[in-house]
Every structure is written in structure tokens, then in C-alpha cells.
Amino acid sequence: MDESSRRPDDRGTPSGPRVTRYAGRHTAVVRGTVAMEELRPFFDEAFRDLGRAVARGEIVPDGPALALYPAVPGRTVTLEVGFPVVDPVVPSRNIVPGRLPAGRVVELEHRGGYDGLGSAWERLRTWAGEHGVLLGAPLWEVYETQPSPGADPGSMRTRLCWSVADR
């Protein structure tokens, strides 16, 4: 499946998962392993630290915020939270260089609040199974809409990317 086979939904934007090729990217991230119920505090602290590093000029984001999961999350979640950057960063405090891999991914745009991400990931997994796409690792979320206090969850967009495994 490629871009040309996607059908627009009623808002005129692509709907449904698709397989695409992703160019690798350097990232500046905060790494951690936390219990599922501790994800929100981890994100909050990581983005506070990343925001301070941006303000100090230590990192220059080159795209929207993201979270990378080296493996499918379970009761505990290992993840990297940060931003794409043009060049690798020098480790500073808890911010370290990372990398989004190059290769094929299954991609889906989720519209809505973060509480709907679990079902969006399941939709992506189901679609891949129905289309014979073997999923691999890592998987990541790109937060296309910057969250802000009082934001309408319905206006939020998150791009889900799941690596396609080689056969």
C-alpha cells in the first residue's frame, strides 16, 4: 500500500494506516523505564528538562515532540521522549542522543486525546495483521499538535509509526 491508495475521510485528510518509508533522524531524548501508570509524570518531567535545554540553546528541535518505544509496552514501559534534531547532541544531564531508524513503517494519524492512543495502536496492529504486514520494533509517536493547558482534545493529532520487520 502506498500514498496513492489511501482514501480521504470526510475532513479531506488521509484515513487508515499505510506503509511508508521513513528516513532516519537524530534525536535528543530523555530515556527511562517506568510503570505504565507513571507515564504521564515521566513525560511531564522529561519535557520540562527538554524545554530547559532548548531555552539554554543546548538542543534545537527540528520537528515535533516524540516518544520512541524500543519494544511493545507492557506493565512497564521503556521509552525515549524528545525531539528530532539535525545533528547528534552531546549528552547533558539526563538528555542523550537517540535515533529514529530508517526503514519501512506502518503509519496512522490519530485524532483526539492521548487517552485514545491505546485503541489507535490496536487498530494499527489489526490492520497490519489483516494486510500481511509483519511488525517489528521500534514503534513511536509523533505529537503533531503541541499539547497545551485547556486544549481541545478533539483537535490533537498524533502520528503513530510502527517498524515493519524484514521477512
Side-chain angles (χ1 to χ4, degrees):
M1 179 175 239
D2 64 14
E3 288 250 346
S4 63
S5 62
R6 295 187 299 159
R7 291 187 308 253
D9 66 3
D10 61 340
R11 292 171 290 206
T13 59
S15 67
R18 66 185 180 112
V19 175
T20 188
R21 186 154 299 278
Y22 195 83
R25 301 284 312 268
H26 294 288
T27 58
V29 297
V30 175
R31 290 188 177 119
T33 300
V34 298
M36 186 63 80
E37 60 271 9
E38 295 299 316
L39 266 180
R40 184 180 191 121
F42 179 82
F43 271 84
D44 290 346
E45 183 176 336
F47 282 121
R48 267 194 302 276
D49 292 347
L50 289 157
R52 290 182 190 120
V54 169
R56 290 189 300 266
E58 294 173 357
I59 61 173
V60 178
D62 186 40
L66 57 89
L68 178 133
Y69 306 91
V72 176
R75 283 189 168 147
T76 60
V77 180
T78 299
L79 72 160
E80 299 179 357
V81 175
F83 295 97
V85 292
V86 173
D87 297 308
V89 298
V90 174
S92 174
R93 299 170 183 84
N94 63 337
I95 299 171
V96 297
R99 183 126 180 103
L100 291 177
R104 291 182 341 136
V105 299
V106 177
E107 184 177 88
L108 172 69
E109 182 181 275
H110 167 69
R111 290 184 179 212
Y114 298 135
D115 57 346
L117 287 173
S119 60
W121 280 113
E122 190 54 39
R123 178 178 170 209
L124 196 57
R125 179 196 309 265
T126 299
W127 182 91
E130 290 171 349
H131 289 82
V133 176
L134 183 61
L135 297 172
L139 48 158
W140 63 93
E141 299 166 344
V142 179
Y143 308 108
E144 302 287 353
T145 307
Q146 182 176 349
S148 62
D152 172 17
S155 69
M156 298 176 76
R157 294 178 326 152
T158 305
R159 186 167 16 108
L160 309 181
C161 300
W162 201 325
S163 296
V164 174
D166 295 327
R167 293 192 184 259

